[in-house]
Amino acid sequence: MNAAATVAGPAHIPVMKDAAVAALNLAPGDCVVDATCGGGGHARAILGRLRALGPGGRLLAIDRDAEAVACARLALGDGDGGGGDGSGDGGDGGARVEIIHAPFSRLGEILESRGLRGRVAGMLFDFGVSSAQLDTPARGFSFTAAGPLDMRMDATAGATAAEWLARVDERELAAALRAFGEERFARAIAGAIKRALARGPIADTVELARLVAAAAPHKSRQPRRAGAGKPKPAARKHPATRTFQAIRIAVNDELGEVRRALPQAVAGLAAGGRLVVISFHSLEDRIVKRFLREAARGDPYPPDAPVTVSQLRPSVKLIGKARRPAAAEVEANRRARSAVMRVAEKLAVAGAGGVAGAAPAGAM
């Protein structure tokens, strides 16, 4: 299967696309960064908005997945009229596009090398694994079809899931399953995996999923029965769901990437620039929520210190409350059901904005 079919096929549906583009609050000639380009769904919408506003806009699209980058160069290049190379304005005065293969934790370095630090009008992050990655067995992210134990976001670098599982000891593995998968049966599952590895390599993702299912107590795998007159309960998650999530997060250092990227994103924004972040599970969203709350609060003085709000030097103000997809979007795309979008705006000067810089503003 080629890159275009793998990454940008019908399965790729960008989550909260219209809401995210609206939240960026773009103006003519803006420079925008899509730090998690993936299949390019959000990027195409951003380009469409930039073109509608007039000439001179610029989009930097970043992704650590080489397959996603290859696909984005086809999709965004064709849409830009730039001959499929993902750069230039195609001679039509449209937005200029540059597509970069890199983890978003290198955002600051990327912006600095292009003279864009402090000049970006909009920054979008759409965290998590993509539909294309999940739906391609060869990437090893899914337990529904046999594939290698890979799970790397960037298949050209770093240790695979198989190598990571062989390297960590049972205690470290259990800790990762608890921390990154919030798995109740972490110790039992870790023990089963390490015992299996002592006998030989785990063949593929399906074998790993079977090991996990067998290690989890049977009670946890049985769906509750609906009583008379009660609605039938929703099907339970596969018992390997949390374990696969935890291993993937550990292999790719996903939470570390988020923690490193957010301060760089704020530093890269121009005054009035917007940061839009879409998260898909509580671990990511917790990091984003805490970071934005602290950035909006400013310097960590004691609560009873005799300083004004402006002296706290907040760097952003929060725009509205956390938003979730509409019911119609969730019905059309089940992978949208856990999405949470948060928005913040860079303040013109540290401490500017008074109370508005330290507390949520009104709804968009």
Side-chain angles (χ1 to χ4, degrees):
M1 186 177 293
N2 62 34
T6 300
V7 183
H12 178 73
I13 305 173
V15 173
M16 301 186 76
K17 177 187 67 177
D18 295 339
V21 174
L24 288 168
N25 196 33
L26 300 178
D30 275 349
C31 174
V32 185
V33 174
D34 181 347
T36 49
C37 182
H42 287 107
R44 282 192 292 272
I46 291 168
L47 279 175
R49 179 60 182 152
L50 288 174
R51 291 199 186 96
L53 290 168
R58 180 175 182 181
L59 172 67
L60 267 63
I62 303 170
D63 207 286
R64 70 190 294 189
D65 187 330
E67 289 186 11
V69 167
C71 172
R73 284 181 175 143
L74 290 173
L76 299 180
D78 288 342
D80 185 57
D85 64 358
S87 61
D89 67 5
D92 62 0
R96 176 171 176 248
V97 186
E98 182 179 3
I99 301 169
I100 303 157
H101 178 210
F104 53 65
S105 60
R106 288 180 51 201
L107 178 62
E109 169 193 333
I110 291 167
L111 295 180
E112 192 72 44
S113 68
R114 289 157 177 79
L116 293 173
R117 190 176 188 275
R119 298 175 58 192
V120 176
M123 199 92 63
L124 173 66
F125 290 88
D126 176 16
F127 294 135
V129 65
S130 72
S131 297
Q133 290 165 333
L134 285 172
D135 295 339
T136 306
R139 300 300 301 271
F141 288 100
S142 176
F143 43 74
T144 59
L149 291 180
D150 193 318
M151 301 193 196
R152 292 173 297 171
M153 295 289 191
D154 182 354
T156 68
T160 65
E163 292 165 340
W164 182 80
L165 287 170
R167 184 175 69 225
V168 297
D169 63 29
E170 184 175 329
R171 181 177 295 181
E172 291 173 309
L173 177 54
L177 298 183
R178 281 193 297 270
F180 303 145
E182 299 175 298
E183 173 57 69
R184 291 173 57 199
F185 308 109
R187 289 179 64 184
I189 293 169
I193 291 172
K194 295 306 289 188
R195 286 192 297 273
L197 286 170
R199 297 189 295 269
I202 297 172
D204 53 34
T205 53
V206 169
E207 183 180 338
L208 177 60
R210 287 177 184 150
L211 277 170
V212 174
H218 289 278
K219 182 179 178 182
S220 73
R221 305 202 304 272
Q222 297 299 322
R224 294 190 302 272
R225 293 184 178 180
K230 294 181 180 179
K232 185 177 180 181
R236 289 183 180 273
K237 287 183 178 180
H238 189 287
T241 300
R242 293 180 182 275
T243 294
F244 270 63
Q245 172 184 296
I247 294 171
R248 187 200 84 220
I249 289 173
V251 165
N252 294 288
D253 188 24
E254 291 179 35
L255 302 185
E257 286 280 307
V258 173
R259 291 189 184 96
R260 289 188 289 273
L262 291 173
Q264 297 177 53
V266 172
L269 285 170
R274 292 281 182 91
L275 173 62
V276 178
V277 184
I278 302 173
S279 305
F280 287 85
H281 60 71
S282 60
L283 298 175
E284 295 165 338
D285 186 54
R286 198 174 301 144
I287 294 170
V288 175
K289 180 180 179 180
R290 185 172 299 161
F291 171 80
L292 293 179
R293 184 177 59 200
E294 292 176 356
R297 183 182 298 147
D299 294 339
Y301 285 98
D304 56 350
V307 294
T308 64
V309 171
S310 63
Q311 290 174 315
L312 295 175
R313 299 186 302 175
S315 56
V316 303
K317 66 176 179 180
L318 308 183
I319 304 298
K321 297 180 179 179
R323 296 180 58 180
R324 294 184 179 274
E329 180 174 3
V330 174
E331 185 176 351
N333 179 16
R334 280 187 54 77
R335 287 176 180 164
R337 65 190 182 277
S338 60
V340 180
M341 186 176 80
R342 298 183 186 274
V343 184
E345 183 173 295
K346 178 80 170 284
L347 292 174
V349 180
V355 175
M364 290 181 292

